Amino acid sequence: MATLPGIANNPDIRFLGKLLGDVIRAYGGDTLYQRTEYIRAASVDRHRGGTDVDLGLDRLSLDETLDFVRGFMLFSMLANLAEDRQGVTAERGADLAAALERLAGEGIDKAQVMHLLDHALIAPVLTAHPTEVRRKSMIDHRNRIAALMLLRDGGATETPDGDNVEEAILRQIALLWQTRVLRRERLYVTDEVETALSYLREVFLPALPALYQRWDRALGERVPSFVRPGSWIGGDRDGNPFVTADSLTTALAKASEAVLVYYLDAVHALGAELSISTDLAPADAGVRALAEASGDTAESRSDEPYRRALSGIYARLAATHLALTGKPAPRPGALKGERYPDPQAFRADLVTIARALRDSGGGALSSGGALGRLVRAVETFGFHLATLDLRQNSAVHERVVAELLKVAGVEADYLSLGESQRVSLLRHELSNARPLASPFAAYSEETQSELAILRAAAKAHATYGPACIAQHIVSMAQSVSDLLELNILLKEVGLYRPGGASGEPSSAAIMAVPLFETIGDLEAAPAIMTEWFALPEVRGITAARGFQEVMIGYSDSNKDGGYLTSTWSLSKASTALKSVFADAGVGMQLFHGRGGAVGRGGGSSFAAIRAQPPGTVQGRIRITEQGEVIAGKYGTRDSAMTNLEAMASATLLASLEPDALSAADTARFSAAMDTLSASAFAAYRDLVYGSNGDDRGFRTFFRQMTPLAEISGLKIGSRPASRTKSDRIEDLRAIPWVFSWAQARVMLPGWYGVGHALSAFPDKGLLAEMAQGWPFFAASLANMEQVIAKSDMGIAARYAGLVEDRALADAIFPRIESGWQQAHDGLLQATGQSRLLEAHPALDASIRLRLPYIEPLNLLQIELIKRRRAGDEDPRIGEGILLSINAIATALRNSG
């Protein structure tokens, strides 16, 4: 066995860890501090020496257990912060300057980059998928510590308010210690909206304009606004009955209010800054016209046309705020103005001022500055802040359309029709403007709800502009009729308009986007899209838009077919779709439905984008950002800028770099992956679902071995954990499936079946060649390697002891243990390493630093679960289980 190198604590971890110890001693008492320190030291010794040291966990009282778990959770939280600051998660070469240099080395100049950016779109899309275990209050304290640490880095001993910096950090840690970790009430959609808004308002709004300034300098000219955020929160109603027309309206209104207040503050600040007097510098005609139209007649500003112009702009913006939010601006102002009809009109006034500054004094005032950032913000965020997607399951659309057709007397039994009959009927209905719904008919609650959502979307388009909602995702899309059904519903509210008799094409203000999720769906995707593009009305719509989006799902494909088959199926579907889109002459935009954990598509976005099949990125990509990933990537302005730039640089490289593989190597490697995938799929399906649908008790084993039932008490999301009341694995959502395995330190969705495939593959030399020379295979193994390093079969065996039927546990767990060992050994052989993460020393140190802090939490969690399941109703036991779930998830970082 390879000798493990020592772990060098970075100085931030030592500093913050010491302060946490001081807080525990001060607020928890010396006894708690000493016991916590003993367990910490014993666990570290146990991991370093490999000996079975008594941790003394059984000597903790229940109250001490709760405090101990909180302490270890806070250490992990502070360690995460320290590592983020030290760039442990940052990736080499993941910035635009490095990407441009790499492209230049391959003969791709800046002009080609700019040509790509002219039609590019990169969109991180925030979702409310429930994998963030920490309350927002905890994250806020963490961010305040990060800001104080930055002051400390710069040598400051005092904050701007005069506090001692290190005492201020200690105070924030003390506040963390005394802040309730667990939510007492379940989250509502409005809570999720507020959380997302805090990131958009406090991080994205200032970070993106600053990034664009950096990119403008790197490229030597002004780049298009190609990075724009999106959101699902308030519009994703797939399986969430709490998302309604009201929640959609609330989400849109709050987002608009946030961005308008940001603009008002920025214009107000510009008014204070641009004190240019005509006594000293002339103003061009455009600025003078804005000044005269402003209504600002104050004598004190009579020689300051820029300030007068901005007074008028502010007045118009305040009127826009009132019109869109129904509220007066926070700082109304004395002048009255006419509202801006759209963001473009607001931008035009700002550009008038910017051009005047550029054209005077040799351009000394045209370097961008606050005005340049504001213009960029308006281009990027409009009056809507983030594009909000709608999402619903195809089965819901199917039922709603069936009811509308029946009540309208068009078709009594739509659900009994075959696919070709459905397509024919739906196309006929889409060819005329006649609505199906009647205000005088009675409809089911489901139909009323769907129509209300879409009416709210139509109203939003009229209020905020079409960019506020651009896509409607159709989950479980399995046919062309699934997409046509959505267009039928959009037509009911005027968002789909049939072509006219004079030959103008049909139009759709919101794009129908199919989501292909399972392995079977991914395999069927090319045929469905071929049939979709063959429809004349669709050709007209896509030609006008210039592209069509397809969403591919990582989570359900993984739960369906296992890690390797999911990853390969996604890659093959993307490649096949590229040909379909090329044949149709349509630009392709893939939307990657990734989660935080590797089992749900998690891992490095930079590596994942670069590993996409050649020709499938095309400068346009959207990626979901969920749960704990949002705080990790976008918790601060600096981390957001790092991660957004990584996405941008990876997209440029994936779109413009020549294919790294020859055609012959691509064929060889793909054939090998087909074999590996088939082998991994068979092993995974046999374990999880069994032959002929008989899982041989696996679902019982899974539910008893993992804290699946206990996780539901965390109150971390607004939607149910399962789609139905069934206990089948098929009906369980992917998040609790992955989250549960992570808590039990198995991480099964991130590796099971891969070991079988690598072991059975005869040409080990070819595997090594693929690991070295194929970005796709290298990225797949790298993500799996991280998961294997975080898993622990010794701990997992203790969780298996929770299974009541010992014969069942003895039949299933050894298969899991053997599969892990095969995956471990096969990965090392393919990568040529002597131990896990040998090629990634920073990540290796990060994970091994955490392991001694996770193991005691796992052991306590197991004992608490045993007591709870045995009938002990002490509320402290339930609280301890939830705290331990929170603490383990925090330490693992990407567990959901």
Side-chain angles (χ1 to χ4, degrees), residues 209-504:
L211 258 183
Y212 280 120
Q213 286 189 319
R214 181 189 300 172
W215 296 339
D216 289 347
R217 291 191 294 270
L219 281 157
E221 57 184 301
R222 193 174 192 275
V223 303
S225 299
F226 64 97
V227 178
R228 298 191 292 276
S231 174
W232 275 14
I233 305 172
D236 175 17
R237 58 202 190 281
D238 181 16
N240 191 342
F242 306 110
V243 174
T244 63
D246 286 343
S247 65
L248 176 67
T249 300
T250 297
L252 290 163
K254 286 182 174 293
S256 180
E257 182 177 1
V259 76
L260 288 170
V261 168
Y262 177 86
Y263 294 157
L264 286 163
D265 289 343
V267 170
H268 180 75
L270 279 171
E273 179 183 3
L274 295 182
S275 55
I276 301 169
S277 169
T278 51
D279 293 345
L280 301 171
D284 72 3
V287 172
R288 291 198 307 272
L290 285 175
E292 290 304 315
S294 70
D296 185 353
T297 59
E299 182 64 27
S300 60
R301 290 187 292 275
S302 61
D303 66 328
E304 296 175 339
Y306 287 91
R307 278 183 165 167
R308 291 172 59 215
L310 286 164
S311 293
I313 291 172
Y314 187 94
R316 294 195 67 184
L317 199 55
T320 307
H321 183 282
L322 179 62
L324 297 190
T325 69
K327 304 175 186 176
R331 193 189 292 111
L335 301 179
K336 300 299 180 184
E338 180 183 347
R339 63 165 287 188
Y340 282 111
D342 50 46
Q344 291 73 30
F346 174 38
R347 179 188 179 277
D349 283 354
L350 296 174
V351 168
T352 296
I353 295 176
R355 285 176 177 163
L357 293 172
R358 179 196 64 191
D359 294 341
S360 65
L365 294 175
S366 65
S367 60
L371 177 57
R373 290 191 294 273
L374 178 56
V375 171
R376 183 67 80 172
V378 177
E379 291 176 1
T380 304
F381 303 106
F383 287 161
H384 61 283
L385 183 56
T387 298
L388 181 62
D389 289 357
L390 304 181
R391 184 170 77 132
Q392 183 55 284
N393 195 288
S394 62
V396 175
H397 293 156
E398 183 181 67
R399 292 192 297 268
V400 171
V401 168
E403 183 174 10
L404 291 175
L405 291 169
K406 180 178 181 179
V407 173
V410 175
E411 170 56 53
D413 192 4
Y414 172 77
L415 298 180
S416 70
L417 300 181
E419 174 65 9
S420 61
Q421 293 172 300
R422 290 187 181 192
V423 169
S424 178
L425 172 59
L426 295 171
R427 289 187 64 203
H428 174 72
E429 287 299 319
L430 287 170
S431 68
N432 66 78
R434 171 181 54 82
L436 292 169
S438 167
F440 308 108
Y443 296 101
S444 66
E445 184 178 342
E446 181 176 65
T447 294
Q448 293 180 60
S449 176
E450 287 302 301
L451 290 176
I453 284 269
L454 294 176
R455 289 186 187 113
K459 183 177 180 181
H461 268 224
T463 304
Y464 309 110
C468 69
I469 302 173
Q471 285 94 355
H472 191 306
I473 315 298
V474 181
S475 302
M476 299 302 292
Q478 297 173 333
S479 64
V480 165
S481 64
D482 288 338
L483 301 178
L484 292 174
E485 286 161 1
L486 173 58
N487 281 341
I488 288 285
L489 299 178
L490 292 173
K491 191 190 79 165
E492 290 296 306
V493 299
L495 292 174
Y496 180 99
R497 296 185 182 278
S502 57
E504 65 268 23

Side-chain angles (χ1 to χ4, degrees), residues 567-582:
T567 305
W568 182 231
S569 296
L570 289 158
S571 180
K572 288 206 301 181
S574 300
T575 300
L577 285 169
K578 177 186 69 173
S579 299
V580 171
F581 276 69

Side-chain angles (χ1 to χ4, degrees), residues 592-608:
H592 297 262
R594 288 160 49 98
V598 168
R600 298 183 52 243
S604 161
S605 295
F606 181 73

Side-chain angles (χ1 to χ4, degrees), residues 564 568 571-572 659-677 761 763-778:
L564 199 66
W568 182 231
S571 180
K572 288 206 301 181
D659 188 357
L661 298 181
S662 66
D665 282 344
T666 298
R668 283 193 309 130
F669 293 172
S670 296
M673 272 304 305
D674 284 338
T675 301
L676 290 166
S677 175
F761 195 78
D763 191 344
K764 300 298 191 285
L766 178 56
L767 292 179
E769 190 179 347
M770 292 161 62
Q772 289 298 315
W774 191 14
F776 165 79
F777 195 59

